[in-house]
């Protein structure tokens, strides 16, 4: 844990120095640094329950997660007309660089906002990982030894590319006032992720998160929040859905490969000033439960899906500094 804290501090400091070098850039170029941290308590699966159910907490600790991401965004005004709905149209080009204790992942994306309430975006990311103090940044399941084997850093790569559409609306746009802002946002993303050198149905692990396979997936998010002219400027709820399209994504047909995980997270955002923002989430999620108990260290895709199980997943903090 001490090593992780030191590494995260070093990453934040190096990104801050990099940002300082661009302090005099024009207004249409922005730079930000986001530090994400999550704490996961333990919650063991309930075995062979055919109905949807809730699994209680069974221990104080299951894991920690942390990363630092630097973003540089260049915005180009592309007005489609003089009407107020069209005059703010723009294209935003973004370059990102994510660092965690077990991985690095740069990315590029482009977003087109033709109307204030519509955003279309696409992007790609490529990363590589390593093992640190028993934490696997990038590994693949060995069916002979029944364990994850580390993959070679800078020889194997995590790849992701995506396309996304977002609808967003703020009631303050039609009802003026400081206390009239109800914010709605819905996003649908189609994405493909893989690790090179791993067969499509073989299981792999990325950033200590396992039981993944190469494949086409979809991610949906919905935000409903109330915005206020206070330091605690936004409270609401975030709902997320994520999973593969193909039910045969895994070798085991009884695993239900197209199962969609669902997360519902109450959220609060504190805006200290125009530069500093802190987001806090309490994550309740769903997962598969099985007909037998999962053996310690085994891959879940070898087991037979029985029902959906809800549990308290994490406490997440995200601190963002915009230069």
């Amino acid at each position: 844990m001490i090593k992780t804290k030191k590494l995260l501090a070093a990453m934040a400091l190096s990104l801050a120095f990099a940002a300082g070098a661009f302090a005099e850039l024009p207004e249409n170029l922005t730079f930000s640094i986001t530090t994400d941290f999550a704490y996961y308590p333990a919650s063991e699966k309930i075995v062979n329950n055919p109905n949807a159910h809730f699994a209680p907490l069974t221990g104080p600790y299951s894991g920690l997660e942390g990363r630092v991401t630097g973003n540089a965004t260049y915005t180009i005004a592309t007005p489609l007309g003089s009407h107020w709905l069209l005059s703010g149209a723009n294209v935003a080009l973004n370059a990102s660089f994510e660092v965690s204790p077990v991985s690095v992942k740069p990315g590029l994306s482009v977003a087109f906002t033709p109307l204030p309430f519509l955003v279309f975006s696409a992007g790609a990311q490529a990363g590589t990982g390593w093992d640190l103090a028993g934490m696997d940044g990038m590994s693949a399941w060995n069916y002979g030894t029944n364990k994850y084997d580390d993959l070679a850093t800078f020889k194997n790569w995590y790849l992701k590319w995506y396309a996304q559409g977002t609808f967003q609306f703020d009631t303050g746009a039609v009802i003026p006032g400081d206390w009239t802002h109800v914010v709605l946002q819905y996003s649908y993303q189609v994405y493909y992720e893989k690790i090179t050198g791993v067969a499509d149905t073989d299981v792999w692990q990325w950033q200590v998160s396992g039981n993944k396979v190469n494949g086409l997936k979809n991610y949906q998010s919905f935000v409903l929040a109330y915005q206020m002219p206070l330091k605690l400027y936004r409270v609401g709820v975030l709902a997320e859905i994520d999973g593969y399209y193909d039910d045969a994504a895994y070798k085991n047909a009884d695993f239900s490969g197209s199962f969609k995980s669902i997360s519902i997270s109450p959220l609060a955002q504190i805006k200290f000033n125009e530069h500093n923002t802190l987001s806090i989430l309490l994550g309740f999620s769903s997962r598969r439960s099985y007909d037998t108990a999962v053996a310690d260290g085994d891959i879940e895709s070898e087991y037979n899906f029985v029902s959906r199980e809800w549990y308290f997943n994490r406490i997440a903090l995200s601190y963002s500094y915009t230069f």
Side-chain angles (χ1 to χ4, degrees), residues 90-225:
N90 65 76
V91 172
L93 308 176
N94 176 266
S96 64
F97 191 81
E98 175 193 296
V99 184
S100 82
V102 292
S103 65
V104 293
K105 186 175 66 174
L108 295 171
S109 65
V110 58
F112 174 48
T113 305
L115 299 167
F117 51 84
L118 284 178
V119 182
F120 300 102
S121 58
Q125 301 169 340
T128 191
W130 52 85
D131 177 84
L132 177 66
M135 298 183 295
D136 289 333
M138 184 176 62
S139 56
W141 185 257
N142 186 320
Y143 290 88
T145 61
N146 290 327
K147 65 177 184 179
Y148 281 104
D149 290 342
D150 292 334
L151 295 172
T153 304
F154 299 116
K155 290 186 179 179
N156 294 92
W157 294 90
Y158 168 86
L159 302 176
K160 175 182 176 180
W161 47 92
Y162 68 90
Q164 177 174 300
T166 298
F167 171 81
Q168 55 193 14
F169 181 70
D170 180 355
T171 57
V174 293
I175 308 174
D178 291 338
W179 299 91
T180 61
H181 296 269
V182 177
V183 179
L184 302 167
Q185 185 183 78
Y186 172 74
S187 295
Y188 189 97
Q189 180 182 115
V190 178
Y191 70 100
Y192 185 89
E193 64 176 359
K194 68 174 294 181
I195 285 186
T196 60
V198 177
D200 283 350
T201 57
D202 286 350
V203 174
W204 46 266
Q205 189 168 232
W206 168 252
Q207 293 179 334
V208 203
S209 179
N211 213 52
K212 297 175 177 288
V213 292
N214 298 343
L216 188 67
K217 306 177 73 174
N218 68 89
Y219 168 80
Q220 301 175 64
S221 68
F222 177 77
V223 176
L224 174 62

Side-chain angles (χ1 to χ4, degrees), residues 7-9 11-13 15 33-36 66-70 97-101:
L7 184 57
L8 287 173
M11 292 186 297
L13 185 61
L15 287 170
I33 295 175
T34 300
T35 301
D36 297 312
R67 61 175 173 262
V68 177
T69 306
F97 191 81
E98 175 193 296
V99 184
S100 82

Side-chain angles (χ1 to χ4, degrees), residues 43-46 53-58 287 309-312:
S43 178
E44 294 183 7
K45 290 182 172 64
I46 295 175
H53 55 276
F54 186 85
L57 297 179
T58 56
R287 62 191 178 193
E309 178 173 273
W310 291 90
Y311 67 108
F312 180 72

Side-chain angles (χ1 to χ4, degrees), residues 191-269:
Y191 70 100
Y192 185 89
E193 64 176 359
K194 68 174 294 181
I195 285 186
T196 60
V198 177
D200 283 350
T201 57
D202 286 350
V203 174
W204 46 266
Q205 189 168 232
W206 168 252
Q207 293 179 334
V208 203
S209 179
N211 213 52
K212 297 175 177 288
V213 292
N214 298 343
L216 188 67
K217 306 177 73 174
N218 68 89
Y219 168 80
Q220 301 175 64
S221 68
F222 177 77
V223 176
L224 174 62
Y226 180 62
Q227 189 167 299
M228 304 165 286
L230 305 172
K231 286 191 181 298
L232 176 61
Y233 86 107
R234 188 175 291 166
V235 293
V237 63
L238 165 67
E240 300 170 285
I241 302 173
D242 189 37
Y244 294 93
Y245 282 103
D246 191 356
D247 203 44
Y250 294 85
K251 292 179 179 179
N252 178 16
D254 294 324
F255 182 65
S256 184
S258 61
F259 175 89
K260 300 296 187 293
S261 64
I262 303 172
S263 296
I264 300 174
S265 304
L267 66 88
Q269 291 180 297

Side-chain angles (χ1 to χ4, degrees), residues 283-306:
F284 295 85
S285 301
S286 68
R287 62 191 178 193
R288 298 172 177 88
S289 65
Y290 309 108
D291 53 0
T292 56
V294 178
D296 187 33
D298 203 356
I299 55 169
E300 294 187 11
S301 60
E302 296 293 306
Y303 294 83
N304 299 330
F305 167 77
V306 172

